[in-house]
Amino acid sequence: MSVPVIVCDAVVVRYRPYLDLKPTLKGTVARMRHKAVDEVIALDGVTFSVERGEAFGVIGANGAGKSTLLRVLARTLPPDEGSVVMNGRVSTLLALGVGFNTELSGRRNVFLGGLAAGMTRSEIEANFDSIVDFAEVRHAIDRPLKTFSSGMFARLAFSLGIHQHPDVILLDEVLAVGDEAFQRKSQEAMRDLLDGAGTVVLVSHALANVRRFCDRVLWLDAGKIRQIGPADEVVEAYVQHVQASAPINKASRLEKPWSAHKRSLVVMRVLAGEHIDDVAEEIDVPPERIERWVTAFQNAGRLALKTVDAPKSAG
């Protein structure tokens, strides 16, 4: 039997924010004497393993502990209890562009980011052309990074991450970077990694992507494992739970305020290929309302999203 590439055993992470955070001398002295804290358990006895060559998803509501778990796996946050064993080289894409300096050129940032991620200079030089071409930024690579569009920045950071030739890659929503064509290329790169017996751990709110990409899924609920198993089975159970927890009066969804920015993020997901019914189910908004947002955006751009359903919403 092969050794799992990730073994997470009874992991507990506690946060201990002070009850009184007023920056006064009296408050500081009181905290030193009493150390009064309000303990928050972010992860509570989390145990699982991931096999080599597996795409493993992590889902759950905001505050469930997903990002904390990734930080523990990335070894940037030590657990208070339990242990984590990672067998192999790990690449983390938890925050795109870590180690980048926007005042410097894209070329210099490839080296900065690569060195920050643990690559050697010779490794970066050997992979430089492939990194730049995959990111589709050859025409701008010698310009300051601050002149890059957000899409170019994200593509370069993603490309650098996957060219570290990792055994394990940790992703936090980054399969959604770039346009539809680049997203397809990103997912193909992840598949190539898996075919080479690499391992992917993906945290995402895009349930359609989780269903399509992952083999197994872990559902976290308030820091505890609610369910773990085949992707379709766990995602369906999570969706049923969310629906059961939603208000019975579905008509109230029409009055939910959505800003133009939030609407544009929803539109981008649909235009990137997610099925409109999956998105509607996840965010608890009628599909026909999302269709109006998409139509308005296609006809008149992002500004149209400010007024598309103003009579019914303050968003």
Side-chain angles (χ1 to χ4, degrees), residues 131-142 148 151-153 155-156:
I131 291 169
V132 173
D133 291 338
F134 186 93
E136 302 169 5
V137 294
R138 173 73 64 179
H139 64 288
I141 194 62
D142 289 308
F148 282 33
M152 292 165 63
F153 182 99
R155 295 201 304 269
L156 183 60

Side-chain angles (χ1 to χ4, degrees), residues 11 50 71 172 202 295:
V11 165
V50 181
R71 290 174 61 198
D172 193 351
L202 170 65
T295 300

Side-chain angles (χ1 to χ4, degrees), residues 232-254:
D232 284 337
E233 179 182 313
V234 177
V235 170
E236 182 60 29
Y238 175 68
V239 169
Q240 293 295 328
H241 169 76
V242 171
Q243 290 178 337
S245 303
I248 296 176
N249 182 12
K250 295 297 184 180
S252 65
R253 297 182 302 177
L254 295 172

Side-chain angles (χ1 to χ4, degrees), residues 23-275:
T24 64
L25 177 59
K26 180 179 178 181
T28 301
V29 173
R31 286 197 297 272
M32 291 174 64
R33 282 203 303 258
H34 302 294
K35 298 294 183 183
V37 296
D38 180 19
E39 186 173 81
V40 175
I41 300 179
L43 294 175
D44 189 0
V46 173
T47 298
F48 66 91
S49 62
V50 181
E51 299 298 321
R52 194 172 303 278
E54 186 174 19
F56 189 79
V58 182
I59 62 174
N62 289 331
K66 304 183 300 298
S67 295
T68 298
L69 177 59
L70 277 191
R71 290 174 61 198
V72 170
L73 296 180
R75 298 193 178 103
T76 61
L77 177 67
D80 293 288
E81 297 178 21
S83 63
V84 174
V85 176
M86 305 288 287
N87 295 309
R89 184 174 184 176
V90 179
S91 173
T92 63
L93 290 175
L94 311 187
L96 290 174
V98 171
F100 282 3
N101 183 331
T102 58
E103 297 297 324
L104 302 179
S105 69
R107 181 182 300 274
R108 293 189 66 182
N109 273 288
V110 169
F111 283 87
L112 279 177
L115 292 171
M119 298 176 72
T120 65
R121 187 174 184 84
S122 60
E123 284 178 319
I124 300 170
E125 290 173 345
N127 288 278
F128 181 83
D129 287 337
S130 180
I131 291 169
V132 173
D133 291 338
F134 186 93
E136 302 169 5
V137 294
R138 173 73 64 179
H139 64 288
I141 194 62
D142 289 308
R143 285 173 16 200
L145 198 65
K146 64 184 179 182
T147 67
F148 282 33
S149 69
S150 58
M152 292 165 63
F153 182 99
R155 295 201 304 269
L156 183 60
F158 181 88
S159 180
L160 182 59
I162 65 170
H163 279 85
Q164 293 169 28
H165 304 298
D167 299 299
V168 180
I169 190 165
L170 307 177
L171 308 176
D172 193 351
E173 297 282 9
V174 296
L175 285 180
V177 301
D179 57 20
E180 183 177 357
F182 189 80
Q183 288 179 38
R184 286 199 299 270
K185 185 162 69 170
S186 300
Q187 294 186 29
E188 289 171 3
M190 293 298 98
R191 285 295 176 196
D192 289 342
L193 174 68
L194 294 170
D195 289 343
T199 302
V200 174
V201 178
L202 170 65
V203 165
S204 180
H205 289 285
L207 300 181
N209 279 344
V210 173
R211 263 195 174 114
R212 181 168 55 248
F213 185 76
C214 296
D215 303 305
R216 287 192 303 142
V217 169
L218 180 156
W219 169 13
L220 278 177
D221 186 10
K224 297 182 179 181
I225 294 181
R226 180 73 172 263
Q227 188 173 343
I228 185 169
D232 284 337
E233 179 182 313
V234 177
V235 170
E236 182 60 29
Y238 175 68
V239 169
Q240 293 295 328
H241 169 76
V242 171
Q243 290 178 337
S245 303
I248 296 176
N249 182 12
K250 295 297 184 180
S252 65
R253 297 182 302 177
L254 295 172
E255 305 305 321
K256 181 179 180 179
W258 281 77
S259 67
H261 174 67
K262 289 183 177 179
R263 292 173 185 168
S264 67
L265 294 178
V266 174
V267 169
M268 289 302 101
R269 289 177 58 179
V270 174
L271 294 180
E274 289 192 54
H275 196 284

